Amino acid sequence: MNEASGDVGAGISVVYMYSDKLVELSDRFTKTPDRAGRTHALIDAYGLLKYMRVVEAKEASVQELRVFHSDDYVTCLEGVNDEDDDEQSEECWSDFGLGYDCPVQPGLFDYCRLVAGASIQAAECLVGGQCDVAINWMGGWHHAKKDEASGFCYVNDCVLAILKLREKYNRVMYIDWDVHHGDGVEDAFVFTSKVMTVSFHKYSPGFYPGTGDSCDMGEGRGQYYTVNVPLKDGINDSQYISLVSRVLSSAYTAYSPEAVVCQCGADCLTEDPMASFNLTPQGLAECLKIVLKWKLPTLLLGGGGYHLANTARCWTYLTSVVLSLSLDNDIPDHEHSDEYGPYFELSIAAGTKLNENTSDNLQGIVAKLDANMMSIPQPPT
């Protein structure tokens, strides 16, 4: 491993959120079994931890969860740890979206408090000037609503972290690279100009959550502060990087954010079971570099990612980019080495899925978004 001299992250201070319990509970989350431990182990195997300040994640208090989530919903989650699986409990759970894609399981409320607490702590480190970049790869659960679990997400740690950042920063930009639309975060801030949400996602009939058209641009005082970039199957690295660069350049100029939150869902990568895009971790890293060049307080969160080895590859590589370190392409020997076969390499090949995104289509999206952002009043200097 070598330092990549002159790269975007040179000389920055990085906080990395971790605890044994956070990994243990995250690995029991049924949709991403063992993902948290696998990711942390690869980051450790590459020797990246010594370049960051590792902060032990602590549980969010009930009061901290209620900064965004409703009292009744938090009370329901709290009861999951104690109640038996009876008919009354199941009726309560279904009222709050618990069940089909957000199953009730032992330790659920402990998990919710810990994953939310880690993202809130990470934001606190940025607010307190303790770091330039904070990372919580076990966060990024962007679908949860104020009073409802949704899309594998029980609490919206993204929103809670943004609200913590808002205690200091007047304008926070939220960027979402998950293949799914960041609907829960958008809904939370759709009426305000204090947070700009920018979501790059697949938008197709029948594809969850079915929201995020480019004409959805915010409401009331939040009009034009919601930016949606709907994509079709098969987009490749070069198209995606160009699109992200153009959209974020316009958004940055129009909004002048004071802090940034990036949800780096790895289900946008090729080979993910979502089977949508042809992207690689290298492509996503180029997008991250655009944000890092702004030199703003930046929070990086995880999110989707259901090809577990590729998700670990991606978040490890993004961590190295933040640290301006180049990694050997050969996966180092560690307890999960055998899970990276058959090539045992950090990089992955670009996908070959049919690309349905034409240049005209992408140009049309950019033109529409540019026109919207020209309507945003210049923030006070």
Side-chain angles (χ1 to χ4, degrees):
M1 179 171 60
N2 301 304
E3 292 190 8
S5 59
D7 211 340
V8 292
I12 67 172
S13 172
V14 181
V15 155
Y16 175 83
M17 301 306 303
Y18 172 81
S19 77
D20 290 341
K21 187 176 181 183
L22 177 58
V23 168
E24 175 196 347
L25 292 178
S26 296
D27 280 345
R28 281 164 48 188
F29 185 49
T30 57
K31 302 300 180 181
T32 56
D34 302 322
R35 189 182 73 175
R38 202 177 296 194
T39 300
H40 178 72
L42 189 59
I43 289 171
D44 188 21
Y46 269 110
L48 298 181
L49 295 179
K50 64 178 176 247
Y51 297 98
M52 302 182 282
R53 183 163 72 88
V54 179
V55 174
E56 183 175 2
K58 295 184 173 19
E59 293 180 343
S61 67
V62 170
Q63 290 73 23
E64 286 176 315
L65 295 180
R66 286 174 172 163
V67 169
F68 172 61
H69 292 289
S70 69
D71 290 352
D72 288 345
Y73 179 52
V74 173
T75 298
C76 179
L77 287 175
E78 192 172 11
V80 167
N81 274 17
D82 306 318
E83 292 184 8
D84 296 327
D85 188 10
D86 56 29
E87 185 174 337
Q88 184 176 2
S89 298
E90 290 184 5
E91 182 177 350
C92 168
W93 297 341
S94 65
D95 289 343
F96 294 104
L98 298 172
Y100 173 63
D101 62 354
C102 296
V104 173
Q105 53 188 312
L108 176 61
F109 191 58
D110 294 335
Y111 164 75
C112 290
R113 289 181 61 189
L114 201 48
V115 73
S119 293
I120 292 170
Q121 277 180 275
E124 286 175 338
C125 289
L126 293 167
V127 167
Q130 301 171 36
C131 62
D132 303 302
V133 176
I135 298 173
N136 178 24
W137 291 133
M138 285 162 269
W141 301 104
H142 59 168
H143 295 307
K145 308 299 194 297
K146 184 180 182 67
D147 55 4
E148 183 183 9
S150 181
F152 314 155
C153 305
Y154 299 93
V155 289
N156 201 314
D157 64 292
C158 309
V159 170
L160 292 168
I162 291 169
L163 292 173
K164 177 57 64 174
L165 291 172
R166 281 280 299 116
E167 293 179 7
K168 178 177 181 180
Y169 303 109
N170 288 323
R171 296 180 301 280
V172 177
M173 182 180 289
Y174 171 79
I175 302 167
D176 195 313
W177 289 313
D178 198 283
V179 76
H180 301 98
H181 177 228
D183 59 332
V185 184
E186 177 180 308
D187 288 352
F189 300 111
V190 72
F191 289 103
T192 182
S193 62
K194 302 300 184 181
V195 177
M196 173 180 277
T197 60
V198 186
S199 180
F200 301 83
H201 51 268
K202 177 176 174 176
Y203 184 71
S204 177
F207 189 76
Y208 182 88
T211 54
D213 198 354
S214 57
C215 61
D216 299 328
M217 62 185 81
E219 301 180 35
R221 292 185 178 179
Q223 188 175 23
Y224 305 122
Y225 294 91
T226 293
V227 180
N228 282 304
V229 188
L231 302 170
K232 300 178 181 179
D233 279 346
I235 193 165
N236 58 41
D237 277 350
S238 60
Q239 285 179 314
Y240 194 81
I241 295 164
S242 175
L243 185 67
V244 168
S245 177
R246 294 171 68 184
V247 171
L248 291 188
S249 176
S250 295
Y252 179 82
T253 300
Y255 191 58
S256 296
E258 297 177 358
V260 186
V261 177
C262 293
Q263 198 267 23
C264 306
D267 49 6
C268 63
L269 300 180
T270 184
E271 299 181 9
D272 191 90
M274 293 297 108
S276 297
F277 296 165
N278 290 319
L279 305 181
T280 69
Q282 290 72 24
L284 201 57
E286 292 303 312
C287 298
L288 177 58
K289 289 177 183 178
I290 295 168
V291 176
L292 293 175
K293 286 178 180 176
W294 297 346
K295 298 188 183 303
L296 296 174
T298 301
L299 173 58
L300 303 184
L301 301 172
Y306 308 100
H307 187 299
L308 305 185
N310 282 355
T311 300
R313 285 180 169 104
C314 180
W315 292 343
T316 298
Y317 185 66
L318 294 186
T319 303
S320 75
V321 168
V322 172
L323 296 169
S324 294
L325 297 170
S326 58
L327 303 182
D328 193 295
N329 197 38
D330 293 330
I331 295 290
D333 290 335
H334 65 295
E335 64 268 35
H336 296 288
S337 296
D338 60 346
E339 296 162 6
Y340 294 92
Y343 300 111
F344 304 98
E345 293 178 345
L346 183 64
S347 62
I348 62 173
T352 58
K353 187 178 181 70
L354 178 66
N355 190 348
E356 299 177 9
N357 299 274
T358 65
S359 297
D360 287 346
N361 172 251
L362 297 179
Q363 180 58 43
I365 293 172
V366 170
K368 181 186 294 187
L369 297 178
D370 281 346
N372 290 345
M373 285 186 275
M374 287 179 65
S375 301
I376 295 175
Q378 285 298 305
T381 56

